[in-house]
């Protein structure tokens, strides 16, 4: 993959929600080089449902932005435990997908939480399909974790590094979080 400093990355994050919310706002912020916001897209997904991959794929494929070069998420769960199948999303959009996490997931706790939801095995399969979790250093001192599909590991590392300017979370994800929480809560919260 040829990575330019001003590559366009779509960061996707969900908004705040309550147990009463059936559907949750999901926002995609398209940033160029991690500096300039080129656009915003949105959709709604079912809280704890199984439609995140389909809804996000449709959102991306129907958007007028045809110069997106990569998709980023903060974890593979959206709207509670609505899991994004990053392999399927990469195939249906034709774009590489990178998942960034501040800390290593606690898989024992995740599996226990899935006991309360339908289609536990299907959800576990999506988690396993996301692949090996890697570690990368950003901001010279911070370490975060990531998974990827549709690109090489070194390219995923480079995209994370070049888009993490102000924190250890890439700017497209920070901006998506700020927009999503600002719309739903009336003002944004600090941490994505």
């Amino acid at each position: 993959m040829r990575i330019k400093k001003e590559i366009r990355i779509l960061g996707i994050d969900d908004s705040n929600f309550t147990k009463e919310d059936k559907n949750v706002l999901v926002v995609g912020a398209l940033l160029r080089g991690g500096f300039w916001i080129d656009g915003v897209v949105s959709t709604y997904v079912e809280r704890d449902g199984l439609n995140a991959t389909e809804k996000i794929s449709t959102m991306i494929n129907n958007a007028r932005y045809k110069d997106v070069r990569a998709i980023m998420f903060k974890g593979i769960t959206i709207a509670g435990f609505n899991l994004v199948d990053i392999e399927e999303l990469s195939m249906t959009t034709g774009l590489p997908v990178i998942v960034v996490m501040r800390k290593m997931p606690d898989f024992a706790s995740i599996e226990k939480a899935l006991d309360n939801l339908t289609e536990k095995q299907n959800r576990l399969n999506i988690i396993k399909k996301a692949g090996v979790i890697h570690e990368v250093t950003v901001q010279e001192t911070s370490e975060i974790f990531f998974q990827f599909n549709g690109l090489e590991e070194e390219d995923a590392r480079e995209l994370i590094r070049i888009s993490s300017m102000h924190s250890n979370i890439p700017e497209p994800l920070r901006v998506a979080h700020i927009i999503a929480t600002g719309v739903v809560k009336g003002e944004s919260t600090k941490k994505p």
Side-chain angles (χ1 to χ4, degrees), residues 22-135:
K22 183 176 177 0
N23 293 302
V24 177
L25 175 67
V26 173
V27 169
L30 180 61
L31 270 72
R32 182 170 21 116
F35 293 104
W36 297 280
I37 299 174
D38 278 354
V40 175
V41 291
S42 66
T43 190
Y44 285 87
V45 301
E46 185 182 351
R47 182 183 52 79
D48 295 330
L50 283 166
N51 67 345
T53 307
E54 176 189 348
K55 296 288 277 189
I56 292 168
S57 177
T58 300
M59 174 185 78
I60 293 167
N61 288 331
N62 289 343
R64 64 182 179 91
Y65 311 113
K66 302 305 176 199
D67 51 1
V68 177
R69 295 293 173 251
I71 304 165
M72 280 189 181
F73 290 93
K74 188 181 67 63
I76 63 168
T77 59
I78 295 280
F81 272 103
N82 198 328
L83 294 155
V84 178
D85 183 331
I86 65 170
E87 179 181 61
E88 183 178 329
L89 184 64
S90 180
M91 287 187 339
T92 58
T93 61
L95 296 167
V97 178
I98 301 168
V99 178
V100 176
M101 299 155 278
R102 287 185 190 270
K103 58 185 180 180
M104 183 66 82
D106 179 351
F107 289 108
S109 295
I110 291 169
E111 189 165 353
K112 186 175 180 182
L114 291 178
D115 287 336
N116 301 313
L117 299 170
T118 62
E119 298 192 48
K120 178 180 178 178
Q121 192 55 52
N122 185 19
R123 293 173 197 267
L124 286 171
N125 290 341
I126 292 170
I127 292 169
K128 288 176 185 163
K129 278 175 62 177
V132 176
I133 297 175
H134 303 271
E135 196 171 340

